[in-house]
Amino acid sequence: HFARISGEKMNHRNLQMMFDKVSNGVLMVSEAGDMNRDTLENIVKMLESMQSGLVIILMDRKKRMDALMKKFPPIEGYFSSRVDITQMNNDALVAYAKQYSVRREYVIDETRAVLALHKLISAMQAGGRVVTKVQVEEFVDHAIERAKHFSFSAYGRLLMGRLYDKEDRIILTERDFDFDRYIRRRDTEDDERG
């Protein structure tokens, strides 16, 4: 048995019925930080009286999980493990972008393009935003699309032998990464939200 529910919905559910339904199964609680103290107390009571097994996974951002444990410290004793997944730093995201481009049979220029990618990721992370692997893939995909358009500058790079690397992969350059597009889109999304 398997059930997934948000912390807020847990506050309004009959826990006895829910625990009976997922007995010997898995209960995943997303946005666990939204659970109130009464819900947490009831979970502990249910766990103490359970005769069957149950795996409970509480999911939320690290700060919210820390706040949850402070809200009701006894809950922590009922969990055998805690996994905190941290945000990838700029170097790790750039390394991932390089790997992803190679999988796509391209390569990112080690000088200006890598520096520009670092700059883009830093700009995207401004204000505490998280840049994900999916977004990095979008950056690389966009650069690949730009590189496919054979321009005058690409013709010049071809003549000078700098369009392909030793393994015949197209080299993505600083020009292939249209960073302003992503920054403008981010700023537009922020304006719409705020």
Side-chain angles (χ1 to χ4, degrees), residues 4-194:
R4 182 174 179 155
I5 188 169
S6 72
E8 179 62 33
K9 288 182 181 175
M10 283 284 288
N11 293 330
H12 306 288
R13 290 287 170 97
N14 180 328
L15 294 183
Q16 180 67 53
M17 282 181 32
M18 180 177 291
F19 276 47
D20 289 343
K21 283 183 181 178
V22 294
S23 179
N24 291 316
V26 177
L27 173 63
M28 292 180 67
V29 182
S30 61
E31 299 172 12
D34 290 339
M35 288 189 291
N36 61 38
R37 186 176 176 85
D38 290 340
T39 300
L40 295 169
E41 287 175 358
N42 287 331
I43 288 173
V44 166
K45 288 176 189 171
M46 298 295 300
L47 291 172
E48 287 175 350
S49 66
M50 281 192 75
Q51 301 297 316
S52 59
L54 178 63
V55 174
I56 300 178
I57 301 171
L58 303 178
M59 300 180 299
D60 213 326
R61 293 183 306 276
K62 183 180 183 327
K63 287 181 182 179
R64 289 179 42 93
M65 288 303 297
D66 291 341
L68 177 79
M69 298 303 162
K70 285 181 183 174
K71 185 188 316 181
F72 190 68
I75 194 77
E76 194 166 7
Y78 288 87
F79 292 87
S80 59
S81 300
R82 178 170 172 168
V83 177
D84 291 322
I85 301 170
T86 59
Q87 170 183 329
M88 293 176 74
N89 66 23
N90 287 9
D91 291 336
L93 290 167
V94 169
Y96 179 75
K98 289 178 186 179
Q99 292 170 354
Y100 179 72
S101 68
V102 168
R103 285 197 318 261
R104 299 277 322 268
E105 298 184 16
Y106 288 79
V107 64
I108 297 174
D109 174 58
E110 286 293 328
T111 54
R112 290 184 181 169
V114 167
L115 190 61
L117 192 52
H118 271 284
K119 184 178 174 182
L120 171 64
I121 291 168
S122 293
M124 293 296 291
Q125 289 176 332
R129 289 181 201 81
V130 175
V131 175
T132 65
K133 284 182 169 182
V134 172
Q135 288 171 306
V136 169
E137 290 174 4
E138 288 175 4
F139 301 157
V140 173
D141 290 342
H142 179 71
I144 288 170
E145 287 304 311
R146 287 182 52 99
K148 286 179 180 177
H149 299 294
F150 201 75
S151 64
F152 182 72
S153 64
Y155 182 70
R157 288 181 7 228
L158 178 63
L159 290 177
M160 296 188 325
R162 294 189 308 206
L163 188 59
Y164 297 93
D165 73 349
K166 293 175 187 174
E167 297 173 28
D168 283 334
R169 294 177 297 206
I170 294 176
I171 299 171
L172 300 175
T173 66
E174 179 182 22
R175 287 184 181 195
D176 296 322
F177 290 89
D178 180 9
F179 304 115
D180 291 333
R181 173 181 168 248
Y182 291 101
I183 294 170
R184 280 193 308 270
R185 185 174 71 190
R186 180 204 69 196
D187 291 343
T188 302
E189 288 171 358
D190 286 350
D191 290 344
E192 290 172 0
R193 278 189 231 129

